[in-house]
Amino acid sequence: PGIARLFKLILSTNYFSFNGRVWLQKDGFPMGISPAPEFANIYMSHLEKKLPTPPELLLRRRLIDDILVIWQGPQES
């Protein structure tokens, strides 16, 4: 509950200035703030658990929000 409330607060109050005007970012996590990598890790870990592991998958590795996949087989599946 505590971390979820913190993320909700961060996601709902991200103001920034551009071109002399102040804007509210409505979607996504603001870049450059310290909890952004942790949020990406939590989200990607959750997503990764849902991914199947087909036999054509030779390697899948993740670093924060980047995924490297080595696949042997057809492009369509």
Side-chain angles (χ1 to χ4, degrees):
I3 193 77
R5 288 179 57 197
L6 175 63
F7 284 148
K8 186 175 182 177
L9 175 68
I10 292 170
L11 288 171
S12 64
T13 59
N14 182 37
Y15 292 93
F16 64 96
S17 64
F18 176 73
N19 230 10
R21 294 180 64 187
V22 176
W23 302 82
L24 171 64
Q25 180 176 329
K26 292 185 178 183
D27 293 316
F29 210 79
M31 291 182 8
I33 62 171
S34 56
E38 286 79 10
F39 183 75
N41 269 324
I42 292 168
Y43 178 80
M44 293 301 289
S45 176
H46 175 73
L47 182 65
E48 204 171 22
K49 289 176 186 174
K50 293 181 174 186
L51 295 174
T53 306
E56 298 88 1
L57 181 66
L58 300 178
L59 176 77
R60 178 172 54 211
R61 296 287 185 266
R62 179 177 60 86
L63 177 64
I64 305 177
D65 61 349
D66 295 318
I67 299 177
L68 169 68
V69 173
I70 298 178
W71 177 271
Q72 181 178 352
Q75 290 183 357
E76 303 85 24
S77 122

